[in-house]
Amino acid sequence: MHKIKVNGREVRVGEGTTLAAAILASGDPFRTSVRGEARAPLCGIGICFECRVTVNGQPHVRSCTVLAEDGMEIVTGE
């Protein structure tokens, strides 16, 4: 089990879980479009960039391509 933080809240996920899956499980939105629409992963393989989040201060990380590790801090909506 890994403990990560999504927008300041602790989320526990199993070994081998992508950040995208962890964020979906948390119920938090990924980001919003310029028109204010909620965005979420589309392709699941890092091509579409719809799942971009900030991970440990690094912006624009494609969350569907990164596995969760203990202590990661994810911020969505940026």
Side-chain angles (χ1 to χ4, degrees), residues 7-54:
N7 297 322
R9 285 185 307 129
E10 186 177 288
V11 176
R12 293 173 185 250
V13 296
E15 189 74 30
T17 302
T18 64
L19 294 181
I23 296 164
L24 284 170
S26 79
D28 285 6
F30 282 75
R31 62 187 189 87
T32 55
S33 71
V34 294
R35 297 171 71 187
E37 300 163 323
R39 306 303 294 181
L42 181 63
C43 72
I45 57 174
I47 294 172
C48 73
F49 288 80
E50 290 297 321
C51 66
R52 290 175 296 158
V53 295
T54 299

Side-chain angles (χ1 to χ4, degrees), residues 47-68:
I47 294 172
C48 73
F49 288 80
E50 290 297 321
C51 66
R52 290 175 296 158
V53 295
T54 299
V55 178
N56 298 331
Q58 180 181 350
H60 306 296
V61 174
R62 291 171 284 173
S63 63
C64 69
T65 64
V66 178
L67 296 179

